[in-house]
């Protein structure tokens, strides 16, 4: 299976990464998105992808229109491809003048289905890790492309720089720092060690023995009780710790921490002495405010389980896709049947209706009859019945024209013939009554070939009413003589 399988099984049928389906189909282009930033962290509003261009444009605005960032190709913009997808990334990190601390920190990653780029930018942008082709349509803008809140992290906190302040020397402004010794000391629960210098190939690719000062690496390890020991007291905390994850202590002021599932906690024994009285338990002194965490967690599934589960899902997907095709076919048949029923309903409710019947006889003869129905509450006046043949290469069979209606049975009279039309006019069709007119023709030598198909249309009109029906019939050749 390719990566497209996983995407089509979910993202093409949902709104992700947006909070709702986009009227312009933008949800079909984007596969995933992620935004991290440290600006306007208290703004509780959705974030909109206001503008996007594969050439490096990405504009993000909050729901009230406030601009979070207008990123360009100069903001650490990179493009890469992964299978059927193209990944666009921006990374902006600004620095306050002087101290050197980070002022703005924002990272954006957008993943699109490469084949859909042409739908929005005229030509699909061919991407690599270093370049992409220009798009002709310019940035695509939107006011409704709000990203899901789970894809936006507005509280990025991390150490980006470390500065050393010296007396009378402004931080990070230079001067004096290279002339004085900087001493790093261990603190509470922290061990400092110097890592071994690298050997062999030299430093930074320079062979050993060259006059290059080898770097010294100091490793800081957070170890309980390391360095100058555990912190002696917490009374200096202002304000003191009153809750952990919004949970307060018990009435005695103690926090009770317990493990769940495969985790459990244990209080550590500091020391144990002999019993003060024979046959009693030993006295034990517990370490204060110290718990040891244990676990017997195991992987719940083996690799084969994941493989089997994936194959089962793939089979279910194939089955559902087949079922979807069958459902679509049934829906199509249903709508065809519904349309026929509606046509039949309209035909029945109409005041005048016609039904054509065709019978193929030997030697290229064709008998036809038109049954005219009057479903109205009143009698119809003069009613025209007309047969329209697909060709004029026929001969009417004299005396074959017959009319059958209320009060008249098998009345013989011939139709008027004009080109491909044979027509008769009857005086009246009574209310909720009918009339039948039939005749026969023989097709000329141009159609003297068994299996030839001809078409006939029957029309009837009376006053404002007009109806018609068309059918086709295969001609029959002469009977074989034994």
């Amino acid at each position: 299976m390719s990566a497209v399988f996983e995407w089509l099984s979910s993202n093409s049928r949902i709104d992700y990464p947006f909070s709702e389906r986009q009227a312009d189909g933008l949800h079909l282009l984007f596969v995933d998105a992620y935004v991290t930033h440290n600006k306007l962290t208290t703004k509780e509003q959705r974030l909109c992808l206001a503008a996007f261009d594969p050439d490096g444009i990405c504009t993000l605005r909050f729901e009230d229109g406030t601009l979070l960032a207008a990123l360009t190709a100069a903001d650490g913009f990179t493009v890469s491809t992964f299978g059927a997808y193209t990944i666009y990334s921006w990374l902006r990190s600004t620095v306050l003048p002087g101290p050197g601390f980070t002022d703005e920190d924002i990272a954006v990653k957008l993943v699109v289905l490469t084949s859909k780029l042409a739908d929005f930018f005229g030509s699909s942008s061919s991407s690599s890790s270093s370049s992409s082709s220009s798009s002709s349509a310019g940035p695509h803008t939107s006011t409704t492309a709000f990203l899901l809140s789970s894809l936006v992290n507005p509280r990025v906190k991390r150490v980006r720089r470390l500065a050393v302040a010296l007396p009378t020397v402004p931080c990070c402004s230079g001067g004096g720092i290279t002339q004085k010794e900087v001493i790093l000391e261990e603190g509470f629960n922290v061990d400092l060690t110097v890592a071994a210098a690298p050997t062999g190939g030299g430093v930074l690719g320079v062979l050993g023995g060259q006059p290059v000062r080898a770097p010294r690496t100091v490793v800081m390890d957070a170890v309980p009780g390391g360095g100058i020991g555990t912190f002696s007291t917490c009374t200096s905390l202002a304000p003191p710790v009153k809750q952990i994850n919004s949970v307060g202590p018990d009435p005695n002021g103690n926090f009770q921490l317990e493990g769940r599932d495969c985790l459990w906690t244990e209080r550590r024994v500091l020391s144990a002495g002999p019993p003060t009285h024979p046959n009693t338990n030993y006295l034990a002194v517990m370490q204060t405010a110290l718990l040891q965490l244990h676990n017997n967690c195991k992987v719940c599934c083996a690799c084969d389980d994941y493989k089997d589960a994936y194959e089962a899902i793939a089979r279910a997907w194939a089955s559902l896709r087949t079922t979807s095709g069958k459902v679509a076919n049934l829906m199509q048949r249903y709508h065809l049947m519904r349309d026929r029923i509606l046509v039949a309903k309209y035909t029945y409710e109409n005041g005048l209706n016609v039904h054509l019947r065709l019978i193929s006889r030997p030697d290229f003869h064709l008998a036809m009859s038109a049954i005219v129905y009057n479903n109205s509450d009143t009698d119809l006046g003069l009613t025209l019945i007309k047969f329209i043949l697909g060709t004029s290469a026929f001969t009417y069979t004299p005396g074959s024209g017959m009319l059958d209606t209320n009060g008249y049975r098998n009345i013989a009279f011939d139709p008027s013939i004009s080109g491909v039309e044979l027509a008769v006019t009857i005086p009246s069709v009574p209310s909720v009554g009918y009339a039948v007119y039939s005749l026969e023709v023989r097709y000329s030598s141009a159609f003297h070939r068994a299996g030839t198909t001809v078409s006939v249309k029957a029309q009837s009109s009376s006053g404002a009413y007009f109806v018609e029906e068309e059918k086709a019939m295969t001609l029959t050749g002469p009977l074989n003589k034994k």
Side-chain angles (χ1 to χ4, degrees):
M1 297 287 180
S2 67
V4 178
F5 174 85
E6 290 80 359
W7 181 78
L8 288 177
S9 65
S10 57
N11 288 24
S12 66
R13 302 183 182 277
I14 62 176
D15 311 334
Y16 186 90
F18 304 110
S19 57
E20 59 266 331
R21 184 148 298 196
Q22 300 300 298
D24 57 4
L26 198 63
H27 59 284
L28 299 176
L29 170 64
F30 283 89
V31 178
D32 203 354
Y34 188 67
V35 179
T36 62
H37 67 91
N38 65 346
K39 304 294 288 184
L40 304 174
T41 58
T42 60
K43 202 172 187 65
E44 299 293 337
Q45 291 187 9
R46 295 185 297 175
L47 192 62
C48 176
L49 180 59
F52 168 73
D53 192 299
D55 287 341
I57 301 298
C58 177
T59 303
L60 300 170
R61 293 184 181 274
F62 288 99
E63 202 161 0
D64 61 0
T66 302
L67 178 68
L68 172 64
L71 303 171
T72 66
D75 295 306
F77 178 61
T78 60
V79 184
S80 59
T81 57
F82 179 77
Y85 310 119
T86 302
I87 305 170
Y88 300 94
S89 301
W90 291 263
L91 181 62
R92 174 189 291 177
S93 181
T94 60
V95 178
L96 288 173
F101 297 115
T102 299
D103 174 42
E104 181 181 31
D105 204 356
I106 180 168
V108 178
K109 190 178 294 291
L110 303 176
V111 183
V112 303
L113 191 63
T114 307
S115 60
K116 287 290 183 180
L117 284 169
D119 297 344
F120 295 88
F121 301 100
S123 61
S124 180
S125 295
S126 58
S127 305
S128 66
S129 60
S130 60
S131 65
S132 62
S133 65
S134 298
S135 60
S136 60
H140 179 81
T141 60
S142 175
T143 58
T144 61
F146 294 105
L147 298 174
L148 290 170
S149 59
S150 59
L151 302 179
V152 181
N153 182 2
R155 295 175 178 84
V156 180
K157 295 182 180 180
R158 51 181 172 168
V159 177
R160 295 295 299 272
R161 291 169 178 82
L162 181 64
V164 178
L166 299 177
T168 71
V169 179
C171 177
C172 304
S173 63
I177 194 169
T178 59
Q179 303 169 6
K180 299 180 181 180
E181 186 178 64
V182 177
I183 300 176
L184 302 179
E185 295 183 350
E186 296 174 333
F188 294 104
N189 303 312
V190 174
D191 278 339
L192 298 182
T193 56
V194 178
T199 59
V203 180
L204 300 178
V206 181
L207 296 177
Q210 298 296 321
V212 177
R213 182 177 180 273
R216 301 188 66 185
T217 303
V218 178
V219 180
M220 294 183 291
D221 289 319
V223 180
I228 61 176
T230 58
F231 197 77
S232 57
T233 177
C234 290
T235 57
S236 61
L237 291 178
V241 177
K242 295 182 178 180
Q243 290 183 333
I244 299 178
N245 286 344
S246 301
V247 178
D250 61 18
N252 297 322
N254 297 321
F255 287 101
Q256 303 293 332
L257 303 180
E258 298 178 353
R260 291 183 179 178
D261 300 327
C262 58
L263 302 174
W264 74 92
T265 59
E266 178 188 7
R267 292 191 65 183
R268 297 303 304 272
V269 176
L270 181 61
S271 63
T276 56
H277 302 283
N279 302 320
T280 61
N281 292 332
Y282 280 73
L283 294 177
V285 179
M286 310 301 294
Q287 290 193 4
T288 305
L290 180 64
L291 292 177
Q292 184 173 2
L293 183 65
H294 300 274
N295 80 84
N296 63 349
C297 304
K298 299 178 181 178
V299 178
C300 60
C301 300
C303 292
D304 289 341
D305 295 331
Y306 290 104
K307 173 178 174 292
D308 294 341
Y310 178 83
E311 291 178 347
I313 293 174
R315 289 193 298 270
W317 163 261
S319 177
L320 290 174
R321 184 170 56 182
T322 301
T323 303
S324 174
K326 293 180 180 179
V327 171
N329 184 46
L330 290 175
M331 289 177 61
Q332 183 179 14
R333 292 172 58 187
Y334 163 79
H335 286 294
L336 289 174
M337 181 63 69
R338 176 179 176 274
D339 292 342
R340 291 175 182 174
I341 293 175
L342 290 177
V343 171
K345 177 177 179 293
Y346 169 78
T347 301
Y348 177 77
E349 293 175 349
N350 189 23
L352 180 66
N353 301 288
V354 65
H355 177 61
L356 174 64
R357 295 183 60 188
L358 300 177
I359 299 177
S360 179
R361 302 191 188 282
D363 199 21
F364 310 105
H365 286 268
L366 183 64
M368 59 195 76
S369 64
I371 307 174
V372 178
Y373 302 92
N374 178 10
N375 295 325
S376 67
D377 297 331
T378 59
D379 296 345
L380 296 179
L382 292 176
T383 302
L384 175 65
I385 302 175
K386 184 185 297 185
F387 296 95
I388 302 176
L389 280 61
T391 175
S392 60
F394 67 86
T395 302
Y396 167 71
T397 303
S400 63
M402 304 292 292
L403 174 65
D404 185 2
T405 185
N406 283 16
Y408 301 94
R409 295 290 183 270
N410 298 327
I411 304 300
F413 66 94
D414 295 329
S416 62
I417 303 175
S418 176
V420 297
E421 298 182 354
L422 301 95
V424 296
T425 301
I426 59 178
S428 175
V429 180
S431 174
V432 196
Y434 70 94
V436 181
Y437 183 74
S438 58
L439 55 83
E440 185 173 306
V441 298
R442 182 178 184 272
Y443 283 84
S444 64
S445 59
F447 291 84
H448 288 182
R449 185 173 65 254
T452 301
T453 300
V454 296
S455 63
V456 178
K457 181 186 296 184
Q459 294 181 347
S460 181
S461 59
S462 179
Y465 295 122
F466 175 82
V467 291
E468 65 180 6
E469 184 177 49
E470 184 175 7
K471 290 185 177 180
M473 178 61 65
T474 302
L475 298 178
T476 304
L479 295 179
N480 294 328
K481 296 182 179 179
K482 301 292 185 177

